[in-house]
Each structure stands twice: as C-alpha cells, then as structure tokens.
Amino acid sequence: MKVQKAELYTWPTCPYCKRAKGLLDQLQIPYTDHDIWGQDDQKQALIEKTGQTTVPYVFLNDKFVGGCDDLFTLYESEGLE
C-alpha cells in the first residue's frame, strides 16, 4: 500500500503507540502524531467515529485501519511504502 498520508492519535505512555510509530519510522513513512492524552472529548469522538476504544488510532490515506496490531497485520500482508 502506498501511504500518502499517515495520522496517529496516541498517548505518550502507550507502548502500542510507540510500537506503531516505530514501524512507520523504520519504513520512513512520515506521519502526524496527535497526542490525545487527557483530551477526553477527542477520545470520545474517535470512539464514536471508529468503534475502537483503545489507542493508537491509525489512519492511512484518511482511512481508519485500526490500532497497532492492525497496522502490523497490514504491513505483513500488503506491505507499506
């Protein structure tokens, strides 16, 4: 998958967030990291939008792909560039 735009919504202390960012860093895919720690309104909006209750929220090319495990699954199945 060719990634034109990557956005993550994360918490600074979350190991899964760090792992997802690490994969994108390793692949040299630039991303925008939105720190939503303590931002209950933003977190609630993401829950309503995605149905997912845990961070990170990973969006590639404006499409929600899931969390850290979903990002790794996508990478392993389709590759990311």
Side-chain angles (χ1 to χ4, degrees):
M1 166 189 259
K2 178 121 176 109
V3 178
Q4 303 289 337
K5 179 180 178 184
E7 288 187 272
L8 286 79
Y9 294 81
T10 65
W11 288 353
T13 58
C14 167
Y16 295 101
C17 299
K18 291 176 184 177
R19 188 168 178 244
K21 290 188 279 187
L23 176 61
L24 295 176
D25 287 339
Q26 173 189 331
L27 298 172
Q28 298 180 344
I29 296 174
Y31 58 89
T32 302
D33 180 19
H34 304 278
D35 179 356
I36 59 167
W37 179 257
Q39 306 294 321
D40 295 336
D41 292 346
Q42 277 191 308
K43 176 105 189 288
Q44 188 59 43
L46 285 163
I47 291 169
E48 290 171 13
K49 180 178 181 176
T50 66
Q52 179 175 297
T53 58
T54 58
V55 291
Y57 294 88
V58 180
F59 292 82
L60 300 178
N61 301 332
D62 294 321
K63 180 182 174 195
F64 177 65
V65 297
C68 178
D69 291 343
D70 301 305
L71 179 64
F72 271 84
T73 299
L74 183 64
Y75 167 63
E76 291 164 1
S77 67
E78 291 185 37
L80 299 173
E81 55 181 272

